[in-house]
Amino acid sequence: MSTPYASAAPYYARYRPPYPAELYALLVDRFALDGSQTVLDLGAGPGTMSLPLAPLAEHVYAVDPEPAMLAEGCGLAEGLGHRNISWLRGDAAGIGRLCLPRIDLCVIGGAFHRMDRTRVPADLDAVLAPRGGIAVVTSVAAPWPAVVDEVRERFLGPGHGTAGGPADIEEVRDTEDQLAKSVFSRVGTTTWERSVRCTVDQVIGLQFSRACSSPALFGDRKDAFESELRQALRDHCPDGTCTRTVTVAATVATRPRR
């Protein structure tokens, strides 16, 4: 059975911005990635992290419950010539059923808050190498102009304006707290802040990339929503672009040193 992300998958693959290069430099440094490691990307989506990690690892296991996301990622990997990614349908509740080899690093991008945050570290303890660890990546973004929420709510009703929106700093703190209580209790967070400029098309595409405003929810009103939002954004942003601040936080958790 498909998830709410089924119709969002192509928009997710096209419009979600990549994580900064500094994130991968951090992972290379912390986990000595030299092309010989095995990486698990849990809640991989269309490979937002799997694809950049492929050249840094021997093999990447990209796991997601949504077949449409996996299909998008597989197509992108083929285009890039990455043949060392296995695209597996599954979720965080079934780590033990995936029959994975020993994993050196598990990355979770923008999905940890939807998982059982007590169970997942415990399950990963059985598959992560002694010096392995978890990297939870969270994007904290300033809100879009209010007109975006206003138009969405007119089409989808109250509660869809902010539902499923970007994480806030409390989510990062909660991630730290949850991991500190686990076997991976050596926890630290690194952040990078940047200003992101998006065109009107990109802002609209990002709305369709979200489960709470995926194309399927609009049905035959999708084109009308897009047209109305496009006009509202042009009225609000005469130069055709919207700029907001995005902070990417990488919370790395490993077992305590012995």
Side-chain angles (χ1 to χ4, degrees):
M1 183 173 64
S2 291
T3 72
Y5 278 106
S7 65
Y11 295 91
Y12 198 114
R14 180 175 180 181
Y15 291 104
R16 290 288 179 110
Y19 293 119
E22 291 88 347
L23 166 64
Y24 301 100
L26 172 71
L27 297 179
V28 167
D29 180 63
R30 290 297 304 274
F31 296 96
L33 300 182
D34 60 7
S36 65
Q37 288 76 25
T38 302
V39 175
L40 168 63
D41 185 357
L42 200 55
T48 307
M49 295 187 72
S50 295
L51 296 169
L53 283 167
L56 306 174
E58 181 176 11
H59 201 86
V60 177
Y61 291 88
V63 177
D64 198 89
E66 175 49 59
M69 287 288 188
L70 297 173
E72 289 288 337
C74 187
L76 291 170
E78 289 180 1
L80 293 168
H82 295 330
R83 297 179 176 83
N84 63 333
I85 306 176
S86 295
W87 301 91
L88 306 177
R89 187 179 184 185
D91 57 31
I95 294 172
R97 297 192 295 270
L98 294 172
C99 299
L100 297 167
R102 184 65 70 184
I103 299 296
D104 297 293
L105 167 64
C106 174
V107 296
I108 304 173
F112 193 55
H113 64 288
R114 295 195 298 271
M115 301 176 181
D116 184 330
R117 290 165 291 179
T118 300
R119 178 178 176 179
V120 168
D123 289 347
L124 288 172
D125 186 32
V127 298
L128 279 168
R131 293 185 178 274
I134 306 168
V136 177
V137 184
T138 308
S139 291
V140 181
W144 293 114
V147 294
V148 175
D149 289 345
E150 292 167 2
V151 174
R152 186 190 302 108
E153 288 196 345
R154 282 204 294 273
F155 278 80
L156 297 180
H160 281 84
T162 57
D168 59 29
I169 197 64
E170 289 301 322
E171 187 175 310
V172 178
R173 296 193 184 104
D174 186 63
T175 294
E176 293 174 330
D177 290 343
Q178 293 291 334
L179 290 173
K181 297 173 186 176
S182 76
V183 67
F184 301 95
S185 59
R186 187 167 173 253
V187 180
T189 296
T190 304
T191 61
W192 302 273
E193 184 177 287
R194 56 181 175 166
S195 181
V196 178
R197 183 183 295 271
C198 293
T199 66
V200 168
D201 284 344
Q202 288 171 327
V203 176
I204 294 171
L206 284 166
Q207 308 317 305
F208 289 140
S209 77
R210 297 166 57 188
C212 70
S213 55
S214 64
L217 293 180
F218 293 94
D220 59 9
R221 303 182 73 201
K222 172 182 175 292
D223 289 345
F225 165 76
E226 182 173 346
S227 177
E228 187 168 328
L229 180 55
R230 186 181 304 279
Q231 187 58 57
L233 285 168
R234 285 175 175 167
D235 291 343
H236 188 273
C237 311
D239 69 346
T241 62
C242 295
T243 301
R244 65 176 181 169
T245 300
V246 177
T247 300
V248 174
T251 302
V252 174
T254 56
R255 299 178 181 93
R257 290 177 176 172
R258 297 186 185 276

